[in-house]
Amino acid sequence: MTANPTGQGVGLGMPQLPAPDFPADVRARLEADAKEVIARYPDSRSALLPLLHLTQAEEGFVSRTGVRFCAEVLGLTTAEVTAVATFYTMYRRKASGDYQVGVCTNTLCAVMGGDAIFDELKEHLGVGNNETTPDGKVTLEHIECNAACDYAPVVMVNWEFFDNQTPESAKAMVDDLIAGRPVAPTRGAPLCTYKETARILAGFPDEREGAVEASGGAGPASLIGLRIARGETPQLGKVVHPRGEASAATEEGE
Amino acid sequence: MTVTAEMHENGAPEKLLAPVLSAFWDEPQSWTLETYHRHEGYEGLRKALAMTPDDLIAYVKDSGLRGRGGAGFPTGMKWQFIPQGDGKPHYLVVNADESEPGTCKDIPLLFANPHSLIEGMIIACYAIRSEHAFIYLRGEVVPVLRRLHEAVREAYEAGYLGEDILGSGLKLDITVHAGAGAYICGEETALLDSLEGRRGQPRLRPPFPAVEGLYACPTVVNNVESIASVPAILNKGKDWFKAMGTEKSPGFTLYSLSGHVAGPGQYEAPLGITLRQLLDMSGGMRPGHRLKFWTPGGSSTPMFTAEHLDVPLDYEGVGAAGSMLGTKALQCFDETTCVVRAVTRWTEFYAHESCGKCTPCREGTYWLVQLLRDIEAGKGVMSDLDKLNDIADNINGKSFCALGDGAASPIFSSLKYFREEYEQHITGKGCPFDPRKSTLWADTEVNA
């Protein structure tokens, strides 16, 4: 890295001053949350990954203040916390968008169209990899395999599944995000913001009505073997399932 | 060769499949405790609690269940390795960090049927005498995290977790832990370091996790599907389980078909089914195309070609054919796909995910990427191909953990089966393939 999260270059002279603390009320609220997280583990350090998610729930990325907070509540040094925070790709190093749009460009999704989707989204949004639209809504990145290869090509938004995407469907989806229209994934709950998602990742269940049951039991591809085993004939021989049509075709047996 | 939709002499497709874990995924609320109860949920636990823990371990061992996370190690044996009466806490850690490219079985399983995992965990903890278990779920799957939170909550409420479970005196807490994006954490010792709040880097073994695992205490690390398979074995009996599959690879498992196939998705079948059988029942490759290469168990398992369609997909069969069963992630690519492009992308993945702890993997994957990018772009020279092989050879078996071996697999196997295609990129000074023809929508644009 050539720049630290505050945008300053790597300085070889004076060390950075310690990061400021959170305001007292924020600090008190986060400490109460942290206490709950730490209580889940026999050893407090195990709470570090969830606590880093928790600081992202507050600020949308892991700031130096967030690192300081984690270090103080766990009795670690900021260097120890930074070493962990920079190892994992889900921790953002700079302020980013409300919606993290990740296009899978690992081999299978890339070949099935992920590369084309990623290229068209870059052009459509006018941003590069890991960059955010000027309105602060969408951060675009390419991601690695997200365990949904039978739904390729896959796009993740705030880590909810958007299956069987095309460049057109993906562009329409980001347009909706930017316009503030509600967006629902193929599998998962209607989108909340990146910060709200980070709070779930810190281990605090999603309290929204209907979030757990949203999008139903299993997606169509997950059910194909089951349907064949029952002697049903799923619609086969075509690869492209325009959205809506596929679910109608596979749900009729229910 | 072309895979047709004809049925072979081995009968109707429904007889080749065996939905157990996936048996009720199509129920409207398949993930709830109420649905799970209607499908004999938590009956296996009652039967397990009627045994002594040692008898339970022996029973699971006798069933022949082998790990579904890739290595195929007997599950009961892992449990047996835990020293008893040592005075230390014991831990069960479920590896739900499913990140191997192509692998997509645990995530749909947990999304549709999380209670099979919870029940399996309670049984496993009773066997190994653990009072605290963890589910290490990769962070990038929030819909699954939601359902795990809910399933654990329901299990506590119903008395399956907490104090005095079902009046047995058994005590167990389950913590759901979300990771933060690192493929290496699927390696069991890296996972333990990560769960301890550190960078996910693999540990030197021995000591093995069974002796010094989480917090240096005896720990079992099992894959999601392995543990989720245990309740059915207890409920329906080990003989029922052993009647499926082969002698050395008994039971049922989830096969994940993906790529240029007509019917991508999950197929739960006895071990030993072949890709030809799976393709025959599911409509084959996409219309007008033929199978070119495929992985039996994710990108880390050496690739196969159409000549391997009849390889029995069990641990021994795939091993004998020169690859590994891995995670049964059957990624199928047709003749429109450039092998060099595919292998380059996988190698970029390994370079990105290399934890940096050991030199062969950290440096080797970096150089592999440089060479492969040049070759793909038509800037390679013939000697690069031997260099690729050399570098892969210096990673394979010489790295700290299996990530390095995995990185070498696609290099070796693609050079073995498709060396000519690499050479075409070099002599033709570019890639002879049109990536637009490989996309999901390619043929509809032509036909529309």
Side-chain angles (χ1 to χ4, degrees), chain B residues 71-268:
Chain B
F73 194 82
T75 303
M77 206 153 349
K78 261 195 183 177
W79 297 4
Q80 196 182 32
F81 286 156
I82 298 295
Q84 296 301 336
D86 56 344
K88 287 184 181 175
H90 300 168
Y91 296 108
L92 171 73
V93 178
V94 172
N95 184 345
D97 191 54
E98 181 164 72
S99 310
E100 166 78 8
T103 306
C104 50
K105 64 186 182 73
D106 295 336
I107 294 307
L109 166 58
L110 293 175
F111 189 62
N113 182 9
H115 279 286
S116 61
L117 176 69
I118 310 281
E119 185 184 1
M121 289 175 75
I122 304 167
I123 294 170
C125 286
Y126 174 63
I128 66 166
R129 281 143 277 197
S130 165
E131 296 185 344
H132 200 161
F134 298 84
I135 303 170
Y136 187 105
L137 177 73
R138 67 178 301 184
E140 302 99 323
V141 287
V142 171
V144 173
L145 180 60
R146 264 188 208 102
R147 290 199 177 161
L148 277 175
H149 281 155
E150 174 66 7
V152 168
R153 189 196 64 75
E154 282 188 312
Y156 270 107
E157 199 176 78
Y160 294 121
L161 292 175
E163 307 278 339
D164 194 22
I165 294 165
L166 299 181
S168 66
L170 180 67
K171 172 182 185 299
L172 177 64
D173 287 310
I174 289 182
T175 299
V176 181
H177 181 92
Y183 167 65
I184 186 62
C185 293
E187 197 282 336
E188 64 175 9
T189 61
L191 185 151
L192 293 174
D193 259 32
S194 178
L195 185 52
E196 289 182 5
R198 299 166 193 280
R199 295 163 77 93
Q201 293 190 318
R203 300 174 178 177
L204 189 65
R205 290 176 292 187
F208 288 91
V211 181
E212 288 185 30
L214 189 64
Y215 313 127
C217 291
T219 302
V220 167
V221 184
N222 277 145
N223 169 259
V224 168
E225 191 192 346
S226 315
I227 290 287
S229 299
V230 170
I233 294 173
L234 266 299
N235 187 32
K236 297 190 174 156
K238 63 184 180 187
D239 294 328
W240 164 83
F241 186 72
K242 281 155 85 167
M244 288 181 269
T246 62
E247 194 191 336
K248 287 185 175 167
S249 303
F252 55 85
T253 195
L254 286 162
Y255 292 94
S256 310
L257 204 53
S258 64
H260 294 127
V261 294
Q266 304 302 318
Y267 296 79
E268 201 173 5

Side-chain angles (χ1 to χ4, degrees), chain A residues 113-128:
Chain A
D115 276 357
I117 293 170
F118 187 55
D119 286 344
E120 294 210 23
L121 281 183
K122 278 193 283 192
E123 197 185 319
H124 186 70
L125 295 170
V127 297

Side-chain angles (χ1 to χ4, degrees), chain A residues 220 241-252:
Chain A
H241 305 289
R243 283 176 87 181
E245 191 189 320
S247 50
T250 46
E251 275 165 17
E252 61 195 12

